[in-house]
Amino acid sequence: MIDQLSEYFRFMRDMGELEIPLPVEQIQFFKKAHPPHSNKENDSKSKSESIEQLIEDARNCKKCELYKTRNKLVFGCGSLDSEIIFIGEAPGRQEDLTGIPFIGQAGKLLDKILEAVKLQRENVYIANILKDRPPNNRDPKIEEEHACLPFLIKQIQIIRPKIICCLGRVSAKALLKINYSMKEMRGKIYSYQGIPLIVTYHPAALLRNAKLKRPTWDDFQFLLRTLDEIRCKNNNP
Ligand code: SF4
């Protein structure tokens, strides 16, 4: 191919051509050899660079006391191109040891719920309000939530999901700055920075009370219906 092109260029030069048009097949060859980066590729690359920087910032963070007892930072996991972000409260023991959110008993239940509604864990994004584990799994303190929230806000801004699903009252309260019961918040569509947000039970609550499984199933159906409506709206503005 290179030899053919050299011959072609020599021929055209000898013919006195200063601007040399490339034959179609050569243009196709060069396009194949040097494909332009698609917007999606560039977007994913810049998302992953921004997230890496944010993780590094969180690793160095000393804005609250929790860094002192951390084994591993639990920043978040999943696809940066996800349409859904699930947000829990704080890492537990297993999460602190591995650096992966929702992998203890509650995480295994979340995996089952995701599987039941045909969502794959690797295709969604999962994070918590706090990036470090509160000792003995105590409730997050309000000042810890305030200190850590900017990381989650940036995560959401980078990923730009179509919908946010808060798992439990703590994450809903931290993001929406409201203090309602689960009963009051379920089945409604809130808005966080223009992104629709719905609230359901934290999987740990389901482990304590199996009766919450049915309403959680309803909430996930509501989540998927809402996501479908958002997709339709985006396709037919
Ligand atoms: S929990 Fe959040 S704010 Fe506190 S030290 Fe860890 S990263 Fe920083």
Coordinates of all heavy atoms in Angstrom, one line a residue, residues 17 30 54 71 89-90 117 122 133 144 203 233:
E17 N 1.1 18.5 -10.5 CA 0.1 18.7 -9.6 C 0.7 19.2 -8.2 O 1.6 18.5 -7.7 CB -0.8 17.5 -9.3 CG -1.6 17.1 -10.5 CD -2.7 18.0 -10.8 OE1 -3.1 18.8 -9.9 OE2 -3.2 18.1 -11.9
F30 N -6.3 5.2 5.0 CA -5.8 6.1 6.0 C -6.8 6.3 7.2 O -6.4 6.3 8.3 CB -5.4 7.4 5.5 CG -4.0 7.4 5.0 CD1 -3.7 7.2 3.7 CD2 -2.9 7.5 5.9 CE1 -2.3 7.2 3.3 CE2 -1.6 7.4 5.5 CZ -1.3 7.3 4.2
L54 N -10.1 12.9 41.3 CA -11.0 13.1 42.5 C -10.6 12.0 43.6 O -10.6 12.2 44.8 CB -12.4 12.9 42.1 CG -13.5 13.6 42.9 CD1 -13.2 15.0 43.2 CD2 -14.9 13.4 42.2
N71 N -9.0 1.7 56.4 CA -8.0 0.8 55.8 C -7.9 1.1 54.3 O -6.8 1.3 53.8 CB -8.5 -0.6 55.9 CG -8.2 -1.2 57.3 OD1 -7.1 -1.3 57.7 ND2 -9.2 -1.6 58.0
E89 N -25.1 5.1 52.3 CA -24.8 5.9 53.4 C -23.2 6.0 53.6 O -22.7 7.1 53.5 CB -25.5 5.3 54.6 CG -25.4 6.0 55.9 CD -26.3 5.3 56.9 OE1 -27.4 4.8 56.6 OE2 -25.8 5.2 58.1
A90 N -22.7 4.9 54.0 CA -21.2 4.9 54.3 C -20.7 3.4 54.2 O -21.5 2.5 54.3 CB -21.0 5.4 55.8
V117 N -34.0 -7.1 38.4 CA -34.6 -6.1 37.5 C -33.7 -5.9 36.3 O -33.8 -4.9 35.5 CB -34.8 -4.7 38.2 CG1 -35.8 -4.8 39.4 CG2 -33.5 -4.2 38.7
E122 N -21.9 -3.9 37.0 CA -20.9 -3.2 36.3 C -21.4 -2.1 35.3 O -20.6 -1.3 34.9 CB -19.9 -4.2 35.5 CG -20.6 -5.1 34.5 CD -21.2 -6.4 35.1 OE1 -21.4 -6.4 36.3 OE2 -21.4 -7.3 34.3
R133 N -15.1 4.6 56.4 CA -16.0 3.9 57.3 C -16.1 4.6 58.7 O -15.0 4.8 59.3 CB -15.5 2.5 57.5 CG -16.4 1.7 58.4 CD -15.7 0.4 58.8 NE -16.6 -0.4 59.6 CZ -16.2 -1.2 60.5 NH1 -14.9 -1.5 60.7 NH2 -17.0 -1.9 61.3
E144 N -19.4 15.1 59.3 CA -18.7 14.2 58.4 C -19.4 14.2 57.0 O -18.7 14.3 56.0 CB -18.7 12.8 58.9 CG -17.8 12.6 60.2 CD -18.0 11.4 60.9 OE1 -19.0 10.6 60.7 OE2 -17.3 11.1 61.9
P203 N -30.5 -1.6 51.4 CA -30.6 -3.0 51.5 C -30.4 -3.6 52.9 O -31.0 -4.6 53.2 CB -29.5 -3.5 50.5 CG -29.2 -2.4 49.6 CD -29.6 -1.1 50.3
K233 N -38.1 11.1 26.6 CA -38.1 12.6 26.6 C -36.9 13.1 25.9 O -36.9 14.0 25.1 CB -38.2 13.1 28.0 CG -39.3 14.2 28.2 CD -39.2 14.9 29.5 CE -40.4 14.5 30.3 NZ -40.3 15.0 31.7

